[in-house]
Amino acid sequence: MSEQKTRPQVPDGRSRFVLTRQKQPNEKGFVGYEVIWDSFQKEVKYQTPKRP
């Protein structure tokens, strides 16, 4: 009588700095989401200043 409900597959959500993906359901049927952040700033290699 009680059937296992399935959730529809959601496409990846993309914005400027964030990517959101749907995870696989666990044994209880909970579907989570994974959030991946891109870096806001670029890192530049440090150079020592010139000596006078």
Side-chain angles (χ1 to χ4, degrees):
M1 299 225 162
S2 63
E3 296 178 15
Q4 184 73 5
K5 293 183 180 179
T6 59
R7 300 274 310 230
Q9 184 66 27
V10 178
D12 291 349
R14 297 177 195 268
S15 68
R16 187 171 178 189
F17 297 108
V18 182
L19 173 66
T20 307
R21 291 185 186 150
Q22 183 179 8
K23 293 182 179 179
Q24 295 295 325
N26 62 7
E27 53 279 340
K28 293 184 179 180
F30 176 76
V31 177
Y33 294 91
E34 170 182 29
V35 178
I36 302 168
W37 288 89
D38 290 335
S39 62
F40 289 93
Q41 300 173 342
K42 293 182 181 179
E43 195 169 313
V44 178
K45 186 177 177 181
Y46 177 75
Q47 296 178 355
T48 56
K50 294 180 182 178
R51 294 191 153 228

